[in-house]
Amino acid sequence: MILSYLKQSLWKQSVWAAALAVAGCGASNGIDSEEPSHPTRAVISDTSLPPIKTFRASAAAPSARANSDLARDFLDLSFALESGRSLPRLTRFKGPILVKVEGRETPTLRSDLTQLIDRLRREARIDIKLVREGSANIIIQSVAKKEIRRALPHAACFVVPNVKSLAEYRRARGAVRTDWAQLQKREKLAIFLPYDTSPQDTRDCLHEELAQAIGPLNDLYRLNDSVFNDDNFHAVLTGFDMLILRAYYDPALHNGMSRAEVATALPAILNRINPRGANAPRNPQPSTDRQWINAIQSALGPNVPSNRRLNEAQRAINIAVNEGWNDHRRGFSHYAMGRLLQSTDGDLANQHYRVADRFFRRSAPNGPHRSIVAGQLAAYELAVGKPSEALRIIEANLDAARSYENAVQLASLLMLKSEALTALGRAQEAQAARVDSLGWARYGFGPEWAVRAKLREVASLNPKNRSF
């Protein structure tokens, strides 16, 4: 009996380590350049993978916020950096914005970029165009991941003003011309993103970095419907983001305006471009305590000892409770704790994920948050021998993963669905779900070995694949 308990405990630890990889969020989904070993007793058929699946971009649902709340968000996004440092003036491009790609292109890079630029033109009404030849205002440099890490060790991708290459950035680092706070206007800048990562990682970098290249430079954790948020739940630009960018390029604004001057102009701008927000009820979210941000960054950031990570995650929960937050930030605090506990205490991690889901259901019922937590909750139910409950959770969240264009989550949920159906003896449906998952997995996870590794990890959650 004691031996059986120890085996079960050890198995749970390995299961939850796998589940973390299957349904993780927050850090980049980047992949290493060499295939690691993934020992498991689960057997995966060696059939060739189907073609990669990609999303067809569609207009995002419009923001439902009151214009007075939007004005505050606009100002806080536009007049500060992520570090908290204030920006003295508004800066933006004047005239048409030309974008060009240089470096090694991946098969999906240009199509994803074309869809993004089309959306910026249609939804944000920005005069932006992708060109192949000649000069450009924005150079997208597709480079090796190791080169980005050499320039900024903890960055997956980044944007810099007044440079064209990483070599030029290294020479100009710390100079006035690369300091966002010293800019008077935006004329030329470079976006650096990796080509040796998954297509989804590259696309996510495109959305976030291009949005910041042309618009606000700050991120706000209080936003539950925006890519301008370091929690990384949103993968592509939202209706809120497009509205902010449209206001950013309204003719009533111009380079050099102060925060006070922009604040004076914003009400008329927002009432004109977003009439539905003029009479919408206000729902101002409290500002995010800097100590909470520091705690979250320490808990989930690199090069932090595990004990300190747990302490910082608990500190984030305590701050959220003391601040009286009942929104997605309280949910994210518990989500972070769940991630950290997952490889050592699956039951306690699951409790935190359930709490996170409760707050996400209350504060962001129509967002991608619950579908991301759903992967963790379903993995747990499958691992403890409850495939019917796992299937219920998965089915309730597949549409959200698809509508928010998150192939990592969509593929993971479909893989979990396949294993749950297998456990229930529904082999034909299980096979269909697995095949459906693979095209999305190629977009979300990248190379074939990474897709097969995820299949093995998910398969190891099914008790029928377990042996001691």
Side-chain angles (χ1 to χ4, degrees):
M1 184 174 180
I2 294 175
L3 182 60
S4 296
Y5 172 81
L6 289 174
K7 286 183 177 179
Q8 179 71 8
S9 177
L10 289 171
W11 177 79
K12 276 190 177 181
Q13 291 182 25
S14 66
V15 161
W16 280 95
L20 174 59
V22 168
C25 171
S28 169
N29 289 313
I31 47 182
D32 294 330
S33 57
E34 296 183 3
E35 178 177 357
S37 60
H38 295 274
T40 179
R41 292 185 174 88
V43 176
I44 302 300
S45 61
D46 196 27
T47 56
S48 60
L49 297 180
I52 187 172
K53 291 184 178 181
T54 59
F55 295 99
R56 180 175 296 178
S58 58
S63 173
R65 301 217 195 154
N67 284 345
S68 53
D69 292 338
L70 286 167
R72 176 198 174 206
D73 295 334
F74 183 99
L75 294 170
D76 288 350
L77 285 169
S78 304
F79 286 92
L81 297 172
E82 294 178 44
S83 63
R85 182 185 178 194
S86 296
L87 292 173
R89 66 189 70 83
L90 184 80
T91 61
R92 68 181 193 182
F93 287 100
K94 184 178 181 180
I97 304 171
L98 301 181
V99 181
K100 185 168 68 171
V101 178
E102 293 184 353
R104 179 174 167 180
E105 286 194 37
T106 63
T108 58
L109 171 58
R110 189 166 292 272
S111 61
D112 282 340
L113 177 58
T114 298
Q115 289 190 49
L116 172 57
I117 287 178
D118 286 346
R119 284 192 61 203
L120 289 169
R121 293 178 64 87
R122 286 184 287 106
E123 297 174 54
R125 313 288 177 87
I126 294 175
D127 188 1
I128 185 170
K129 181 181 179 182
L130 181 61
V131 298
R132 289 185 178 270
E133 304 293 339
S135 61
N137 306 102
I138 300 174
I139 304 294
I140 297 175
Q141 291 283 0
S142 181
V143 299
K145 185 165 50 179
K146 65 181 181 181
E147 296 299 323
I148 292 177
R149 288 176 175 170
R150 191 174 298 163
L152 281 181
H154 304 314
C157 45
F158 64 100
V159 57
V160 183
N162 297 318
V163 300
K164 294 182 179 179
S165 67
L166 280 173
E168 186 178 1
Y169 168 66
R170 284 191 288 268
R171 291 193 299 269
R173 193 170 184 176
V176 170
R177 67 189 177 104
T178 60
D179 184 351
W180 289 103
Q182 300 297 324
L183 286 188
Q184 303 296 320
K185 57 184 176 180
R186 302 188 199 184
E187 296 178 302
K188 293 184 180 296
L189 52 81
I191 294 172
F192 302 102
L193 52 84
Y195 60 73
D196 48 350
T197 188
S198 72
Q200 178 163 311
D201 275 350
T202 302
R203 182 211 60 188
D204 293 359
C205 277
L206 280 174
H207 277 251
E208 182 170 1
E209 301 306 328
L210 187 55
Q212 292 194 319
I214 63 178
L217 295 163
N218 197 9
D219 282 331
L220 298 173
Y221 275 105
R222 72 169 184 257
L223 303 177
N224 68 9
D225 56 353
S226 174
V227 300
F228 294 110
N229 186 329
D230 275 335
D231 65 16
N232 289 343
F233 278 99
H234 282 276
V236 298
L237 292 177
T238 67
F240 169 89
D241 299 329
M242 289 297 183
L243 186 59
I244 290 293
L245 289 170
R246 183 177 175 186
Y248 207 88
Y249 281 84
D250 190 89
L253 302 182
H254 58 79
N255 280 306
M257 293 180 75
S258 68
R259 182 183 177 112
E261 290 171 328
V262 173
T264 299
L266 272 178
I269 293 172
L270 292 172
N271 286 343
R272 173 164 33 84
I273 68 175
N274 187 46
R276 62 180 287 168
N279 298 313
R282 290 204 64 194
N283 184 29
Q285 297 296 316
S287 298
T288 305
D289 188 296
R290 175 56 61 174
Q291 293 303 309
W292 182 88
I293 296 174
N294 294 340
I296 286 291
Q297 290 177 342
S298 295
L300 300 179
N303 304 322
V304 179
S306 57
N307 286 343
R308 186 185 166 197
R309 287 178 185 274
L310 289 170
N311 290 337
E312 292 297 316
Q314 186 59 57
R315 188 162 73 95
I317 292 173
N318 294 341
I319 292 171
V321 172
N322 292 336
E323 291 288 331
W325 295 341
N326 291 308
D327 58 18
H328 58 286
R329 289 170 293 184
R330 174 73 183 276
F332 187 58
S333 303
H334 289 279
Y335 179 80
M337 180 63 86
R339 285 185 60 188
L340 296 175
L341 288 169
Q342 193 160 276
S343 62
T344 58
D345 192 337
D347 293 332
L348 185 55
N350 188 58
Q351 292 177 32
H352 280 283
Y353 287 136
R354 289 189 177 279
V355 175
D357 184 62
R358 187 167 71 246
F359 282 101
F360 291 151
R361 182 172 64 248
R362 179 185 304 167
S363 62
N366 300 315
H369 306 69
R370 297 194 69 200
S371 69
I372 291 172
V373 178
Q376 309 286 7
L377 296 176
Y380 180 87
E381 297 299 337
L382 179 61
V384 298
K386 298 181 180 179
S388 294
E389 178 61 15
L391 191 60
R392 183 194 66 78
I393 294 170
I394 293 162
E395 294 287 12
N397 289 279
L398 277 172
D399 286 346
R402 184 175 285 105
S403 64
Y404 285 98
E405 300 183 31
N406 192 327
V408 170
Q409 297 306 322
L410 181 55
S412 298
L413 289 172
L414 287 168
M415 289 178 187
L416 287 164
K417 178 180 179 179
S418 176
E419 289 301 330
L421 289 167
T422 298
L424 293 169
R426 296 157 63 178
Q428 188 172 355
E429 294 172 80
Q431 178 63 15
R434 175 172 293 182
V435 171
D436 193 16
S437 76
L438 295 178
W440 295 116
R442 293 191 62 190
Y443 187 83
F445 296 119
E448 183 171 328
W449 64 259
V451 174
R452 295 194 183 283
K454 296 305 171 186
L455 282 169
R456 288 191 291 268
E457 287 168 352
V458 174
S460 71
L461 295 168
N462 188 341
K464 291 189 176 182
N465 293 326
R466 190 189 324 166
S467 63
F468 297 109

